[in-house]
């Protein structure tokens, strides 16, 4: 039956309407993607206006204004890339929604930056490049501006590539590259750079091993117990109390070090007191919840949800207190240089701290979900227990490394912990599959022995004589078990490559920017 002309016109019209709807949807999505960019530009414009109002029109003020805008851009990229490591496990484990995680992280990051971050990072301004080797004030200002912008550009690219990298390594690479371009190889502190290079290997290995060990411990103590509820009542308070003690020490040592640095004995006493209080409080809470729980793994995992959220919040506070300096450290060094005190330690004005705190929080809210989904969902599947292991291992590993004087990166530790948990799951799944396969073969062997009236005499390991299962009899099962991967290798390779190129690439970008600045910008010539 042939279609009537009206029917043909109707079909063509339907197709055209579908195309129009599809184009409108694409345009709408494109418009939504432009919203974060527009808000970022508004933030940088506000930074420009605020800094101009603070510095006035004195000679050299324009350098501080330009540096403040670049520092705001760096803070946006820190929020977009680095904060994801703290919140990703909680989101991946469904302990927090994306909106809840963004809100908690933004508040805690800003609080950490404003309360405990008011100091210049001497390593950024003096530890990598000796200001005395630079000499000229204009060259030093150009060096710091190039380092800040080069590090920010690399972080922007890494976020677009969905690669969580170390913001500290980025700014260190930027200072190194611009410093080498300004003063040559003799101006660099190569022992410090060697320690940073060592952390590329040390940090993820420590984080991965610590997280895998904690997961194995919880699996043995609680998850594999016959009565999981009873095991949870016994061990969850202990584990959470250890976590509370570790995080209290972590918070004081890393997050509050700018305002309070107690001696080691006082830090240990504080941790012991927190452990005792948490043990009693959590024990009562778990005892109250236990009667309503069944014996499933999912039910037991709910006991770790609240500690996971608190751990993520404390990690964000400590991160804001420490890593805000990666944005405002070079900015403060530039302000000091313009005022004639290059390389000196200065007090950071409140308006500079506000730029760093607001920039990190806004960058997290606008661009953070991309990296949160990568770390929390795309590398491996997380539940509250696994995510809790990631958060706890991050705090414990940073504390232990600091006590031993090992150079580590909190970013590398956190991401390494996610990979460690995933690889431990792979090993456990393959081992479990092998045991189940052997059990099925053993049952078949026993059934055959009964049918053939063979005396069911078993050896010491439980197998019937002559009936031990041969792995070669089931090659398909072996191949499937060997190929079962619970960690996406392509993400592992991408992130590892990004870690390796962070310092050299930031250095190259910053060196090129420095050379361009001293040639093109008046007042920055050496």
């Amino acid at each position: 039956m042939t279609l009537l002309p009206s029917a043909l016109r109707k079909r063509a019209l339907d197709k055209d309407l579908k195309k129009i709807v599809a184009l409108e949807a694409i345009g709408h999505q494109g418009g939504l993607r432009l919203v974060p960019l527009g808000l970022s530009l508004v933030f940088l414009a506000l930074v420009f206006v605020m800094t101009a109002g603070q510095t006035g029109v004195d000679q050299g003020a324009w350098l501080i204004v330009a540096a403040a805008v670049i520092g705001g851009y760096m803070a946006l990229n820190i929020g977009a890339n680095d904060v994801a490591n703290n919140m990703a496990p909680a989101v991946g484990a469904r302990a927090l929604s994306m909106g809840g995680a963004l809100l908690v992280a933004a508040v805690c990051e800003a609080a950490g930056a404003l309360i405990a971050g008011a100091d210049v990072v001497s390593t950024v301004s003096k530890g990598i490049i000796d200001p005395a080797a630079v000499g000229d004030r204009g060259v030093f200002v150009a060096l710091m501006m190039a380092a800040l912008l080069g590090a920010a550009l690399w972080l922007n690219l890494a976020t677009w590539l969905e690669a969580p990298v170390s913001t500290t390594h980025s700014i260190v690479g930027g200072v190194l590259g611009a410093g080498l371009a300004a003063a040559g190889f003799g101006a660099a502190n190569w022992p410090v750079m060697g320690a940073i290079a060592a952390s590329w290997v040390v940090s993820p290995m420590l984080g991965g091993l610590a997280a895998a060990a904690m997961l194995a411990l919880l699996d043995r103590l609680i998850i594999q117990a016959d009565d999981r509820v009873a095991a949870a009542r016994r061990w969850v308070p202990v584990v959470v109390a250890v976590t509370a003690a570790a995080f209290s020490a972590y918070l004081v040592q890393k997050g509050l070090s700018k305002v309070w640095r107690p001696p080691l004995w006082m830090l240990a006493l504080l941790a012991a007191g927190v452990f005792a209080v948490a043990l009693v409080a959590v024990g009562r809470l778990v005892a109250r919840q236990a009667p309503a729980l069944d014996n499933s793994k999912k039910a037991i995992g709910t006991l770790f949800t609240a500690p996971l959220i608190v751990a993520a919040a404390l990690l964000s506070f400590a991160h804001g207190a420490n890593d805000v300096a990666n944005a405002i450290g070079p900015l403060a060094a530039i302000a000091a240089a313009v005022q004639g005190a290059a390389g000196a330690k200065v007090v950071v004005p409140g308006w500079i701290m506000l730029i760093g705190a607001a920039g990190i929080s806004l960058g997290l809210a606008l661009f953070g979900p991309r990296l949160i989904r990568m770390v929390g969902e795309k590398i491996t599947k997380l539940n509250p227990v696994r995510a809790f292991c990631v958060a706890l291992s991050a705090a414990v590993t940073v504390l232990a490394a600091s006590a031993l004087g090992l150079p580590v990166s909190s970013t590398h530790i956190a991401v390494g912990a996610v990979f460690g948990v995933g690889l431990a799951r792979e090993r456990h799944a393959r081992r479990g599959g092998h045991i189940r396969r052997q059990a099925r073969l053993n049952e078949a062997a026993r059934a055959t022995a009964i049918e053939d009236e063979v005396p069911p005499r078993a050896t010491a390991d439980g197998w019937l004589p002559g009936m031990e299962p041969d792995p070669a009899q089931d090659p398909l099962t072996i191949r499937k078990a060997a190929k079962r991967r619970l960690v996406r290798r392509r993400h592992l390779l991408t992130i590892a490559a990004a870690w390796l190129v962070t310092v050299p690439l930031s250095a190259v970008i910053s060196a090129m920017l420095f050379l361009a600045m001293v040639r093109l910008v008046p007042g920055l010539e050496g």
Side-chain angles (χ1 to χ4, degrees):
M1 178 178 179
T2 58
L3 293 173
L4 297 175
S6 59
L8 289 173
R9 287 196 298 271
K10 184 177 180 181
R11 176 176 292 182
L13 180 61
D14 290 340
K15 290 182 178 180
D16 292 338
L17 288 175
K18 289 180 180 179
K19 292 178 181 179
I20 292 173
V21 171
L23 289 173
E24 288 179 346
I26 294 173
H28 179 66
Q29 292 176 358
L32 290 177
R33 292 192 186 100
L34 293 177
V35 171
L37 178 60
L39 292 176
S40 300
L41 293 176
V42 170
F43 168 72
L44 295 179
L46 291 175
V47 170
F48 178 90
V49 173
M50 182 179 70
T51 308
Q54 291 288 334
T55 57
V57 292
D58 296 337
Q59 184 179 9
W62 68 271
L63 290 174
I64 300 178
V65 173
V69 173
I70 297 173
Y73 175 54
M74 177 66 170
L76 287 171
N77 283 285
I78 291 175
N81 192 288
D82 213 22
V83 181
N85 304 318
N86 302 324
M87 284 296 161
V91 174
R94 304 295 188 269
L96 279 173
S97 64
M98 182 64 74
L102 294 177
L103 178 62
V104 172
V107 172
C108 293
E109 289 280 339
L114 294 173
I115 294 173
D119 196 6
V120 177
V121 177
S122 59
T123 301
V124 172
S125 61
K126 298 188 293 182
I128 305 302
I129 295 293
D130 182 10
V134 178
D136 187 83
R137 185 183 69 174
V139 173
F140 182 78
V141 170
L143 186 159
M144 283 297 170
M145 291 181 69
L148 197 55
L149 183 56
L153 289 172
W154 161 241
L155 283 176
N156 200 334
L157 176 61
T159 303
W160 182 75
L161 294 173
E162 295 186 339
V165 297
S166 171
T167 56
T168 302
H169 287 183
S170 300
I171 192 63
V172 165
V175 173
L176 176 67
L180 294 180
F185 282 84
N189 190 337
W190 292 111
V192 171
M193 294 308 304
I196 291 172
S199 75
W200 295 341
V201 178
V202 173
S203 298
M205 286 186 61
L206 287 177
L209 290 173
M214 291 176 187
L215 181 62
L217 180 63
L218 291 180
D219 188 70
R220 177 178 292 273
L221 293 178
I222 301 174
I223 305 302
Q224 298 302 325
D226 294 331
D227 188 347
R228 295 191 180 98
V229 176
R233 292 187 63 173
R234 184 183 307 114
W235 291 110
V236 168
V238 176
V239 173
V240 175
V242 170
T243 304
F247 271 100
S248 64
Y250 180 90
L251 193 62
V252 171
Q253 189 177 51
K254 304 297 290 184
L256 300 177
S257 59
K258 309 293 191 304
V259 295
W260 182 44
R261 189 184 295 273
L264 184 59
W265 68 267
M266 186 177 293
L267 189 66
L269 186 63
L270 172 66
V274 172
F275 174 85
V277 172
L279 184 64
V280 175
V282 177
R284 292 177 179 175
L285 289 175
V286 172
R288 194 178 306 158
Q289 297 177 15
L293 298 176
D294 56 41
N295 203 40
S296 65
K297 296 180 182 179
K298 185 176 181 180
I300 299 302
T302 59
L303 297 174
F304 291 90
T305 300
L308 174 60
I309 295 173
V310 174
L314 293 177
L315 282 173
S316 294
F317 182 92
H319 177 271
N322 282 273
D323 282 23
V324 68
N326 292 330
I328 60 93
L331 173 56
I334 291 169
V338 171
Q339 296 166 3
K345 188 172 183 178
V346 296
V347 176
V348 182
W351 62 271
I352 291 182
M353 290 304 308
L354 183 60
I355 290 174
I360 288 178
S361 298
L362 186 62
L364 167 69
L366 297 179
F367 306 104
R370 186 180 183 92
L371 266 295
I372 288 177
R373 292 191 183 95
M374 160 58 70
V375 178
E377 298 176 358
K378 294 185 178 181
I379 294 176
T380 191
K381 185 178 180 180
L382 296 175
N383 60 20
V385 176
R386 298 173 200 139
F388 179 81
C389 292
V390 171
L392 179 56
S393 65
V396 171
T397 305
V398 170
L399 278 174
S402 298
L404 296 174
L406 297 176
V408 294
S409 164
S410 59
T411 300
H412 293 186
I413 287 173
V415 178
V418 175
F419 280 112
V421 164
L423 293 173
R425 287 184 62 220
E426 274 191 12
R427 182 177 179 276
H428 180 74
R430 291 176 182 176
R431 181 172 177 271
H434 180 71
I435 291 173
R436 288 191 296 271
R437 177 181 58 81
Q438 288 193 338
R440 288 195 298 269
L441 291 174
N442 191 36
E443 288 298 323
R446 290 181 183 277
T448 303
I450 292 173
E451 289 178 1
D452 295 342
E453 296 182 353
V454 176
R457 292 177 298 168
T459 57
D461 58 3
W463 303 112
L464 293 172
M467 291 297 200
E468 294 82 2
D470 182 5
Q473 294 176 357
D474 194 10
L476 181 60
T477 303
I478 294 174
R479 286 198 300 270
K480 286 182 178 179
K483 291 181 179 179
R484 187 178 186 189
R485 292 182 172 180
L486 302 178
V487 175
R488 293 179 175 88
R489 262 53 173 185
R490 63 186 182 89
H491 296 316
L492 174 61
L493 295 176
T494 300
I495 293 173
W499 287 350
L500 291 176
V501 303
T502 290
V503 170
L505 196 55
S506 297
V508 170
I509 295 173
S510 299
M512 295 172 63
L513 289 172
F514 170 80
L515 295 175
M517 284 181 182
V518 295
R519 285 180 172 84
L520 301 177
V521 180
L524 295 181
E525 297 88 352

